[in-house]
Amino acid sequence: MFAPPRIWWKPLGRLERTWLIIAFVWCIFLTAMMPLWYFMGRQNVPTETYRVTPAQFAAITEEFAKEHQVGTERGIPVVEPPPGDVYLYGRQFMWYPILQLKKDQTYRLHLSSLDVGHGFSLQPGNLNFQVMPGYDYVVTVTPTEAGEYSVVCNEFCSLGHHVMVGKLIVTE
């Protein structure tokens, strides 16, 4: 057996120094990209959030659904509101109500949960974030393509999580 040298530190070789410099520059670049992506990217989390009790949000949403209901689907109201504020809540294991929005109109989508944390994922679009009880998240959306979109819970919320699917309809 050979004993390790008493002086373990030796100056870096050319190749080690090169890779250390590349790694350091890459770290600086990635660190700089975080604030740049926040200001320049188009996938930022909602910046408008309010405190609200689940009971208050449920009452607001159910009143909204009664006022703008145009039909039902599987016992869930289908609502067609004018551009402006629209409300949607998640609870085990459903999204309520089904929203029917107009293409190229701007809406302020208010989202909340009534019981546990839920993941809000609009498919096949690219809107995705977590919804927690006690908060009203406001997301400004302008649908650009007509069609039916699925609202999927992508945060495990209990044993019936796999059936928690809602719908958003965009019409011409």
Side-chain angles (χ1 to χ4, degrees):
M1 284 185 93
F2 296 103
R6 293 185 73 82
I7 301 175
W8 60 268
W9 184 87
K10 294 181 182 178
L12 294 176
R14 185 174 149 261
L15 189 58
E16 288 176 308
R17 191 176 8 205
T18 301
W19 280 110
L20 189 62
I21 290 169
I22 290 170
F24 181 73
V25 168
W26 187 244
C27 288
I28 296 298
F29 173 74
L30 291 178
T31 301
M33 283 305 295
M34 286 188 284
L36 285 174
W37 185 254
Y38 177 79
F39 291 110
M40 296 171 64
R42 295 180 181 234
Q43 298 180 359
N44 298 327
V45 296
T47 56
E48 205 175 329
T49 307
Y50 305 100
R51 296 285 297 190
V52 65
T53 67
Q56 289 171 328
F57 197 85
I60 292 168
T61 305
E62 288 165 13
E63 181 62 33
F64 162 79
K66 285 179 191 171
E67 184 178 339
H68 301 289
Q69 184 172 354
V70 294
T72 60
E73 189 173 310
R74 295 174 289 133
I76 301 172
V78 177
V79 300
E80 187 173 5
D85 291 320
V86 297
Y87 295 86
L88 181 71
Y89 67 65
R91 71 169 183 223
Q92 294 174 325
F93 300 100
M94 67 182 291
W95 292 99
Y96 179 93
I98 296 171
L99 298 175
Q100 186 168 309
L101 308 177
K102 296 277 189 196
K103 179 181 168 189
D104 297 324
Q105 299 293 318
T106 300
Y107 298 89
R108 288 172 30 94
L109 177 58
H110 293 257
L111 293 161
S112 190
S113 168
L114 301 186
D115 44 23
V116 298
H118 294 288
F120 176 87
S121 181
L122 188 62
Q123 300 294 326
N126 194 17
L127 185 59
N128 185 2
F129 59 94
Q130 190 168 9
V131 180
M132 300 297 289
Y135 295 94
D136 175 1
Y137 300 93
V138 182
V139 182
T140 302
V141 294
T142 305
T144 57
E145 293 183 28
E148 287 190 7
Y149 296 85
S150 295
V151 179
V152 178
C153 177
N154 59 4
E155 182 73 30
F156 183 73
C157 56
S158 193
L159 294 176
H161 163 72
H162 64 286
V163 298
M164 188 167 174
V165 179
K167 188 187 287 188
L168 189 142
I169 304 164
V170 178
T171 59
E172 290 291 334

